[in-house]
Amino acid sequence: MHLNKVLMNLRSLSAQGAWLLLSGLWAPAGAQEMVLQVDPGHIRSEVQPTMFGIFFEDINFAADGGLYAELVKNRSFEFTLPKTGWLEPHSNPYGFNRESGSSSVLKYGAEDGNQTYLRVQVQKPEGYELINEGFRGMGIRAGADYRLSLRAARGDGAVRAIVVNLVDSTGTSLGGSRIALDTQGWKDYQATFSASRTEPRAQLRITFEGTGSVDLDMVSLFPADTWKGRPNGLRKDLVQLLYDLKPGFLRFPGGCIVEGRTLARRYQWKKTVGPVADRTALINRWNTEFAHRPAPDYFQSFGLGFFEYFQLAEDLGAAPLPILGCGMACQFNTAELVPLDQLDPYIQDALDLIEFANGSTATPWGRVRAEMGHPEPFHMKYLGIGNEQWGPEYAERLALFTRALRQAHPEIELVGSSGPFAAGDFFEYGWEKMKELGVDLVDEHYYMSAEWFRKNAGRYDSYDRKGPKVFAGEYAAQSVRTASPENKNNWECALAEAAFITGLERNADLVTMTSYAPLMAHAEGWQWTPDLIWFNNLESYGTANYYVQKLFANNSGTHLLEIGSEGKPLSGQQGLYASAELDRKAGQLIVKLVNTEPRARDLKLEVTGGKLGRKAQLSILRGEAPDALNSFEAPTAVSPVEETMNLGRSEIRLSLSPGSLTVLRADLR
Ligand code: AHR
């Protein structure tokens, strides 16, 4: 049979079969055993607890419509088209119906904060209805409680009550409540009710008793069961997935979202703290970024704002790593610049952020934090200035930030950027400038092919050790090409990342922070793929890439060891990769082994300079084929299998499965 035909047939085989058949084809019988040496007594450096972290950006409906559990889209009528998300089924296309009622959006007159509200004119009792469509619907669970809150002001006429109901696509109620309007002016009302049925695409219907006018604002609906039970909090299943990663840091709020397509639409942290109703909504930069994935209804409510990010980092046991704009709009878009002599307000934002996070409650921004319920400092240690910036325009702006920040806050570690490219002139120039400016960490980004990841596991072996540390801040193997909508979170990419990560770990003296990106995507609302976690309105799952991250992060040691074959690191020879660490607290040797070849490999690990204990735990992660995926239907198709093995005194024999990541934790005496 021709090789082409064999390869075609492989596609139709079960994935497991594919690796095995390839193994039979390609593996010479009795392939030589690979011999590796590791010495747990020979420490190269400490491994930082920040080694494996998470990168959060509000892309793919990751915040509004995702992590932030609000179910109502455009709750305060602030979107550019202020009735976005709100349907008036009985109205004509112009939004009114003389017989039943109508609505219009009015302005309070404020420049900032909450600017608009909705005025409803009810002509016919119970004839007018207003429906919020949620974020591709609302995920509702049978028996769960939902908390509705809204602001209302009764106007002319006699509207006695507002009736809220969750409804399915036929308009059948799944639960609701009646809110009696007991006063004329603005008042906050609340109601809790439970859902009778599970429904992935429910909507919220609002009707009225009586006729007349009524004003509405901040119409909000949350599940009662949020992460840590916090009212108006975060979606529990999604935070749990993050928590399970045991991340060493949380980078927020992005990504390009930091910069904005224009300066006016940049992320401004001060507008994301304080009472949620006062946070000014802003169009999400991913709303219009990709013509092939338009999301005209994608805005940022900032209900998940900087306070909530710091709180999330604390909940996760992760160091907070905020990234702030540096006076440059996204260079892929408008590349607008703030003149150097007008940069002070931007620098002040950075100084004030440190006060907000760490300052005493006697300081103005420390007081804001305390008023929000967190008098204790957030112990922020890292701050990034600029996301994916490049060129002299960045260097000269960053210079002004570093000067001011070093002077006022020498305790804060500053993160600069080497730009969006993994190599090339901009990258080289960026690094040179970062060294000159003396930043503590340089944020590198690479969205490259699986092959690139396999070939670049040695990327950091020869990096300069005297300059800044490396923050591998955004990376992900792309199965097609960067930002292609066809990219998949397949096993080939996840395995290539695992191979690459052994290279990050082998260089843990230099690379002290790493994070996959992007983190999350709504299955019906995404703009960018691949992503670490996928979710819909009710469910979520970690991808194959997620389990790679989890295995590395959950098995990160305290000290870096050398591991290699004949004195050389194992970094792609015969498709094999390895890294090793000591976990001093647990008294264990940790070895990660990646076999990217489609055949099993026998391996002998000689442990010198220390004695092995009696047992080792193995976690083995493998997909059944390079194109294996996790999905809503099979969320753990690619997930680790745990085994225990007995140990000899000084050597361990393993057979690495075809296309696999193996994590070994061996007890030491
Ligand atoms: O992760 C998606 C985007 O990729 C980020 O916003 C940006 O920093 C990078 O270009």
Side-chain angles (χ1 to χ4, degrees), residues 543-560:
T543 57
N545 317 67
Y546 172 89
Y547 287 104
V548 166
Q549 293 289 323
K550 188 173 170 187
L551 276 185
F552 275 93
N554 286 199
N555 293 290
S556 188
T558 52
H559 295 82
L560 179 62

Side-chain angles (χ1 to χ4, degrees), residues 578-597:
S579 54
E581 290 167 327
L582 178 70
D583 185 339
R584 213 169 247 175
K585 288 181 235 148
Q588 287 180 324
L589 166 69
I590 306 171
V591 179
K592 281 102 176 189
L593 297 155
V594 175
N595 177 13
T596 59
E597 292 288 297

Side-chain angles (χ1 to χ4, degrees), residues 55 57 59 255-257 286 332 387-388 445 447 474 517-518 528:
F55 160 96
E57 175 164 23
I59 182 173
C256 292
I257 209 159
W286 299 104
F332 288 116
N387 172 46
E388 265 180 355
H445 294 180
Y447 294 96
E474 291 183 31
W528 180 298

Side-chain angles (χ1 to χ4, degrees), residues 175-334:
S177 189
R178 178 183 180 278
I179 297 167
L181 299 178
D182 51 16
T183 181
Q184 205 69 18
W186 283 108
K187 183 178 167 185
D188 290 329
Y189 296 90
Q190 284 178 6
T192 300
F193 52 88
S194 62
S196 56
R197 185 151 50 79
T198 296
E199 168 61 48
R201 285 191 190 77
Q203 298 186 322
L204 180 70
R205 183 175 66 201
I206 303 179
T207 52
F208 304 86
E209 285 179 16
T211 57
S213 99
V214 60
D215 294 340
L216 292 177
D217 200 359
M218 287 302 287
V219 182
S220 172
L221 182 71
F222 276 84
D225 190 18
T226 54
W227 171 255
K228 286 189 178 272
R230 288 199 186 106
N232 306 345
L234 304 183
R235 205 172 123 171
K236 204 173 164 183
D237 59 328
L238 292 177
V239 184
Q240 189 64 49
L241 280 164
L242 303 183
Y243 185 82
D244 293 345
L245 285 172
K246 300 193 183 154
F249 66 88
L250 171 68
R251 168 188 173 156
F252 57 89
C256 292
I257 209 159
V258 169
E259 309 157 51
R261 288 169 71 86
T262 61
L263 282 169
R265 291 180 179 175
R266 73 190 187 279
Y267 197 103
Q268 298 185 58
W269 75 266
K270 288 176 178 169
K271 296 189 175 188
T272 76
V273 298
V276 282
D278 297 344
R279 303 182 192 176
T280 316
L282 180 69
I283 188 167
N284 187 302
R285 62 145 297 130
W286 299 104
N287 179 310
T288 46
E289 184 72 16
F290 295 126
H292 59 268
R293 297 289 305 173
D297 59 338
Y298 197 2
F299 281 66
Q300 300 172 85
S301 71
F302 296 118
L304 174 54
F306 259 45
F307 177 86
E308 290 78 15
Y309 281 125
F310 278 113
Q311 195 173 46
L312 175 62
E314 189 174 77
D315 289 352
L316 299 175
L321 167 51
I323 307 280
L324 296 183
C326 64
M328 298 173 78
C330 180
Q331 288 166 278
F332 288 116
N333 301 142
T334 61

Side-chain angles (χ1 to χ4, degrees), residues 118 335 522 551 567 639:
L118 190 77
H522 190 301
L551 276 185
S639 57

